[in-house]
Amino acid sequence: MAAPTTVAVLGSTGSIGTQTLEVVAAAPERFRVVALAAGRSVDALVDQARAVGPELVAVPDPDRAAEVRERLGPGVEVVTGPDALAEAAVSADVVVNAVVGFAGLPVTLAALGAGRRLALANKESLIAAGPVVAAVRDTPGAELVPVDSEHCAIHQCLRANTVPERVGRLVLTASGGPFRGRTRAELGSITVAEALAHPTWSMGPKITVDSSTLVNKGLEVIEAHELFGVDYDDIEVVVHPQSIVHSMVTFSDGSTVAQLSRPDMRMCIGYALAWPDRLDVAFGALDWGEARTLEFAPPDRETFACLDLAYAAGRAGGTAPAWFSAANEVAVAAFLDGELGWLGIEETLRAALDAWPGWPADSLEAVLEADRRARECARALVERIPAPAGGPA
């Protein structure tokens, strides 16, 4: 029997990270976790390390790393500092990048640059630094397999075709989030609790808020463009509230291939871990003996205008996607802290995108500077927008 595939789980205490450990536990003969990394949740990280026995644990913050090192004892190497995540990213055959936000970029670059398979759940790194990431994707041995349910679905649908020129359209499905069907007038007093009540998926706060504004879907459009090389005019978004069809590809002959399953991220994670094989554990399997209805509708682009703002950032190119993504991180954090209303997220993003200076994304330094400046811009904009009454209820 072949030796188990080694796995590094970065962002291990978040939703994707914990579900990755569930997948590994369901197939222990196939996978072995050799590295974990987390930023803040020391208790959860220590519990995970005691359960799976990694060789290396990465904690960027030195104070938290010291606590982890003391609690785990001498049997586990604990690394810290600004390069800790990158160090963990080259320690395994497969690297699961579940780090939240732009902080995941060093993981993406390190894993691909070292010729590893990258199971990418951190969309921001590819969105913000697509041209920079594209260069390291050519590293011998490097593979990028998306974990996002929509891009995982497209990755699977494209296996039905061997001629890239025959791809007509990518169709990304969206649940519509918790506010599907509401008018703009009804969204002026949205609370944090309402925005975090996603009807289908269990995700972290930032991604859940992004889903409520459709920013998440807009970022996925940019990511699909970078992953699959398809023009923005040929990437479509449709609302599908049942979240059974996870995305589709229409080919030049009019045929559409779709990927269907119950909404279970463990299926997508297992697909990336096992690629080009599949697991024999059926996460997300549908019972076709049940009656079900599948609905599709165009998104309400007037109410959820952030979707078109993301398209505009993608089409602008250069560092515009990095600028947009960074401004969104600031706006969402302000919303979660009660400093900004839900509609204020769109207001912030629109003004921030208008302020983008038109810089190219011709180096990592250019992307980092765009990210920094966009955050400054977004923070200044948030301060000018009146805070909602009552705080983050």
Side-chain angles (χ1 to χ4, degrees):
M1 180 181 293
T5 298
T6 58
V7 179
V9 187
L10 281 63
S12 64
T13 59
S15 175
I16 295 295
T18 55
Q19 290 180 85
T20 299
L21 297 182
E22 291 178 21
V23 173
V24 170
E29 72 288 350
R30 296 192 61 173
F31 308 111
R32 179 170 66 90
V33 174
V34 296
L36 297 173
R40 299 177 182 174
S41 304
V42 169
D43 290 342
L45 179 61
V46 168
D47 289 344
Q48 288 177 339
R50 288 171 174 165
V52 303
E55 300 165 5
L56 183 146
V57 172
V59 185
D61 180 77
D63 292 335
R64 290 189 174 97
E67 181 181 350
V68 171
R69 187 179 292 112
E70 180 180 355
R71 291 172 63 177
L72 291 180
V76 180
E77 180 183 4
V78 179
V79 296
T80 189
D83 298 326
L85 295 180
E87 185 173 346
V90 300
S91 63
D93 301 320
V94 182
V95 180
V96 179
N97 185 356
V99 176
V100 175
F102 190 72
L105 176 58
V107 175
T108 293
L109 295 176
L112 293 175
R116 303 296 196 261
R117 185 193 314 154
L118 175 66
L120 184 64
N122 171 268
K123 62 171 61 68
E124 288 86 354
S125 61
L126 186 61
I127 291 161
V132 178
V133 173
V136 293
R137 287 178 71 178
D138 292 332
T139 303
E143 296 178 302
L144 199 167
V145 183
V147 169
D148 274 348
S149 62
E150 295 80 4
H151 303 98
C152 176
I154 291 172
H155 196 277
Q156 295 181 65
C157 293
L158 289 173
R159 296 175 76 172
N161 172 70
T162 59
V163 183
E165 293 77 10
R166 297 293 178 253
V167 175
R169 297 184 71 77
L170 307 184
V171 184
L172 301 177
T173 57
S175 70
F179 308 135
R180 178 176 60 89
R182 296 202 198 183
T183 65
R184 191 174 184 83
E186 295 172 323
L187 296 173
S189 58
I190 289 300
T191 67
V192 170
E194 289 173 315
L196 294 179
H198 196 281
T200 306
W201 296 99
S202 175
M203 306 175 290
K206 193 265 181 186
I207 297 176
T208 305
V209 173
D210 283 350
S211 179
S212 76
T213 61
L214 290 194
V215 164
N216 196 49
K217 203 54 50 179
L219 294 176
E220 287 172 4
V221 168
I222 299 173
E223 185 179 9
H225 169 77
E226 295 293 343
L227 278 170
F228 306 113
V230 174
D231 189 84
Y232 286 102
D233 290 341
D234 296 322
I235 304 174
E236 184 177 357
V237 172
V238 298
V239 174
H240 169 54
Q242 292 79 27
S243 297
I244 294 297
V245 176
H246 296 293
S247 277
M248 301 171 272
V249 177
T250 297
F251 296 100
S252 58
D253 61 355
S255 176
T256 295
V257 175
Q259 186 268 321
L260 289 73
S261 68
R262 287 189 294 105
D264 190 330
M265 286 305 300
R266 293 175 299 176
M267 186 277 293
C268 305
I269 295 164
Y271 177 82
L273 293 181
W275 167 262
D277 194 3
R278 290 183 182 269
L279 294 181
D280 54 9
V281 182
F283 294 114
L286 288 164
D287 181 356
W288 289 106
E290 297 178 359
R292 66 182 73 250
T293 299
L294 303 179
E295 304 170 89
F296 302 91
D300 179 352
R301 304 180 99 101
E302 180 179 351
T303 301
F304 301 96
C306 290
L307 177 60
D308 282 339
L309 292 178
Y311 266 96
R315 288 189 170 104
T319 56
W323 189 277
F324 179 83
S325 179
N328 179 63
E329 287 192 28
V330 171
V332 170
F335 169 70
L336 290 170
D337 288 341
E339 301 172 13
L340 190 66
W342 188 86
L343 287 175
I345 297 173
E346 176 200 325
E347 185 177 349
T348 302
L349 293 181
R350 189 180 300 280
L353 200 53
D354 286 342
W356 174 59
W359 295 337
D362 52 4
S363 68
L364 177 58
E365 290 72 24
V367 173
L368 293 172
E369 179 63 11
D371 177 87
R372 185 185 71 80
R373 290 285 295 275
R375 291 174 191 275
E376 291 179 352
C377 175
R379 289 189 188 101
L381 290 167
V382 166
E383 290 174 1
R384 297 176 199 160
I385 299 172

